[in-house]
Amino acid sequence: MVLIEQLLSKDEVQTFRQHLSQVPWLDGKGTAMGMSAAVKDNAQADPENDTVRQLANQLLARYGEHPKLVSAVLPQKIFPPCFNRYGQGETYGLHVDAAVMRMPRSPDVMRSDMSMTLFLSEPDEYEGGELLIKTEFGEQKVKPRAGDAVTYPSGSLHMVTPVTSGVRLAAITWMQSLVPDTPMREILFELDQNIQQLSANDTVSREQLDSLHHVYHNLIRKNAVF
Ligand code: NI
């Protein structure tokens, strides 16, 4: 699980919320695939609405160019983000996300390797509503600031705990990675983050950095799947 801080600034979050307060909202069960409908209880901004589509496209552009997100996910395809809202008593029980998704308004399908939640409400605006992810090391619960995003493997069991007061707004998406193997993607992320840090360190020679870049890109070449 990777936290991406301030993917949107506070001002951008306010602009998104302003627009989202004026669009039509639908029952979230309508978009749940298969089994997950039984545990899904929230509302979703109408994905066919022009304003909603524009907001989703703005996020798509941002996601595709964010260095930490690109490093962690190596995205090849990104599903247009969906905006959801949980009011009092609403929840999304334990589930795994669908493995294959049809891209909207396109014959294209994609595999979901990584899921991402972008939080649009501040943690003190609602009670409950944590994103809970089951990992091999136990449960992780997160409730970051508005504008922060959390990305995690789509195949991990996860849930949104019941909101007991207030409103939780978020945008969710799914991404197909160039590197479908999750452990390999995690190794590449760790390597890239270290190379980034070493680049800022004067004691590392140009040759050493070039060599590490070669290692990184050759590993991508060996593991990328199109
Ligand atoms: Ni999910």
Side-chain angles (χ1 to χ4, degrees):
M1 189 181 89
V2 178
L3 173 68
I4 296 159
E5 290 178 288
Q6 298 302 285
L7 189 45
L8 288 187
S9 69
K10 298 289 175 207
D11 286 348
E12 289 169 323
V13 168
Q14 283 317 312
T15 306
F16 270 75
R17 288 175 55 150
Q18 169 97 53
H19 287 300
L20 289 170
S21 69
Q22 289 159 5
V23 303
W25 287 79
L26 314 171
D27 183 346
K29 280 194 196 301
T31 54
M33 280 167 260
M35 299 286 289
S36 53
V39 291
K40 189 176 186 185
D41 183 15
N42 65 6
Q44 190 189 324
D46 181 359
E48 299 301 327
N49 176 272
D50 282 343
T51 303
V52 174
R53 283 169 68 169
Q54 279 172 26
L55 294 174
N57 284 335
Q58 278 181 46
L59 286 185
L60 269 184
R62 178 65 58 90
Y63 291 177
E65 67 186 18
H66 191 281
K68 190 174 179 186
L69 172 55
V70 169
S71 178
V73 178
L74 299 166
Q76 186 170 26
K77 293 180 183 178
I78 308 179
F79 195 92
C82 304
F83 298 93
N84 60 32
R85 186 181 69 193
Y86 294 79
Q88 196 176 342
E90 293 185 320
T91 180
Y92 195 164
L94 266 185
H95 65 281
V96 298
D97 293 339
V100 176
M101 300 178 172
R102 185 168 295 282
M103 300 291 265
R105 296 169 290 279
S106 149
D108 246 23
V109 292
M110 61 170 273
R111 183 189 61 245
S112 66
D113 294 313
M114 293 291 277
S115 305
M116 187 166 75
T117 301
L118 168 68
F119 290 78
L120 295 171
S121 298
E122 294 294 352
D124 61 4
E125 291 182 284
Y126 58 100
E127 282 179 63
E130 286 111 344
L131 174 63
L132 182 154
I133 302 161
K134 291 204 179 219
T135 72
E136 56 182 309
F137 309 111
E139 290 179 353
Q140 275 188 295
K141 264 188 195 175
V142 288
K143 189 173 179 176
R145 295 172 300 164
D148 289 352
V150 174
T151 180
Y152 50 96
S154 303
S156 59
L157 268 169
H158 57 273
M159 69 179 291
V160 175
T161 66
V163 170
T164 54
S165 72
V167 173
R168 176 198 195 268
L169 263 184
I172 52 166
T173 192
W174 301 271
M175 295 170 280
Q176 176 174 315
S177 177
L178 275 169
V179 176
D181 183 59
T182 297
M184 178 52 72
R185 202 164 53 240
E186 288 169 359
I187 291 167
L188 287 165
F189 178 51
E190 191 176 345
L191 176 59
D192 188 43
Q193 293 298 104
N194 277 287
I195 293 173
Q196 298 307 322
Q197 283 180 20
L198 289 174
S199 303
N201 182 335
D202 310 333
T203 63
V204 182
S205 73
R206 185 75 246 166
E207 290 71 24
Q208 286 173 307
L209 272 181
D210 282 348
S211 172
L212 283 170
H213 275 125
H214 282 149
V215 170
Y216 178 72
H217 287 284
N218 283 331
L219 283 171
I220 298 260
R221 218 182 310 280
K222 276 193 125 12
N223 290 281
V225 173
F226 292 90

